[in-house]
């Protein structure tokens, strides 16, 4: 049995397949996902798993170069944004490199999410709890 944090076989495979600059979206239960896009659907029920708990587990196995958020998170979900930024700040320290944080309008976020290699859908039911993680290289 795997010894690392990600036990979901599909999610583990997606993370392992990411190359430099590939995007991985972690989203709430409501973000539209094109049928042709690879989706790891973890949603069980409202709030399970949460956006932040899913993010934290994914970050144990993914080297991140930059992230993308919807600008609207600042106004409509500042608590999640603040916690997410704190997690990213800690990750910067672990990785020893700066992680670029970019904000765009939610409409633009959805377009860029459609270009991500895969989407991880959570049971999160709070507004704009979405992030695109762009893979970096640890060397």
């Amino acid at each position: 049995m795997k010894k690392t944090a990600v036990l979901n076989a599909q999610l583990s495979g997606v993370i392992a397949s990411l190359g430099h600059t590939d995007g991985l979206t972690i989203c709430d239960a409501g973000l539209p996902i094109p049928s042709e896009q690879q989706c790891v659907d973890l949603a069980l029920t409202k709030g399970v798993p949460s956006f932040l708990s899913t993010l934290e587990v994914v970050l144990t196995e993914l080297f991140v170069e930059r992230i993308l958020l919807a600008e609207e998170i600042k106004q409509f979900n500042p608590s999640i944004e603040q916690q997410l930024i704190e997690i990213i700040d800690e990750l910067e320290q672990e990785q020893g490199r700066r992680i670029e944080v970019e904000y765009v309008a939610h409409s633009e976020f959805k377009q860029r999410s459609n270009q991500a290699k895969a989407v991880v859908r959570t049971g999160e039911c709070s507004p704009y709890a979405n992030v695109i993680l762009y893979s970096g290289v640890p060397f």
Side-chain angles (χ1 to χ4, degrees):
M1 182 168 176
K2 267 188 79 161
K3 191 174 168 181
T4 57
V6 179
L7 297 178
N8 181 286
Q10 185 184 9
L11 179 56
S12 183
V14 165
I15 294 168
S17 75
L18 294 174
H20 187 216
T21 73
D22 281 342
L24 176 66
T25 301
I26 300 176
C27 70
D28 59 32
L31 189 74
I33 303 168
S35 58
E36 64 276 358
Q37 189 171 32
Q38 184 175 5
C39 176
V40 179
D41 193 344
L42 301 178
L44 296 174
T45 190
K46 185 178 182 176
V48 179
S50 73
F51 169 74
L52 291 174
S53 65
T54 303
L55 174 67
E56 289 180 319
V57 171
V58 167
L59 293 178
T60 65
E61 296 197 13
L62 180 63
F63 195 92
V64 177
E65 180 172 277
R66 66 185 178 100
I67 69 167
L68 184 70
L69 300 164
E71 184 73 36
E72 291 86 344
I73 195 173
K74 293 177 182 179
Q75 180 181 357
F76 296 106
N77 207 341
S79 175
I80 291 282
E81 183 213 11
Q82 179 184 356
Q83 292 174 76
L84 186 150
I85 295 301
E86 289 171 5
I87 291 167
I88 295 302
D89 288 346
E90 290 175 18
L91 185 62
E92 278 184 333
Q93 297 304 311
E94 286 176 30
Q95 294 185 168
R97 295 197 195 150
R98 184 177 171 281
I99 297 171
E100 178 187 345
V101 178
E102 181 183 357
Y103 293 86
V104 295
H106 188 59
S107 57
E108 174 72 15
F109 180 91
K110 289 190 285 189
Q111 290 176 349
R112 294 214 202 161
S113 177
N114 292 345
Q115 298 166 4
K117 189 162 192 174
V119 176
V120 180
R121 182 174 172 258
T122 70
E124 185 69 44
C125 291
S126 65
Y128 305 102
N130 308 296
V131 64
I132 303 174
L133 307 170
Y134 290 95
S135 180
V137 289
F139 52 85

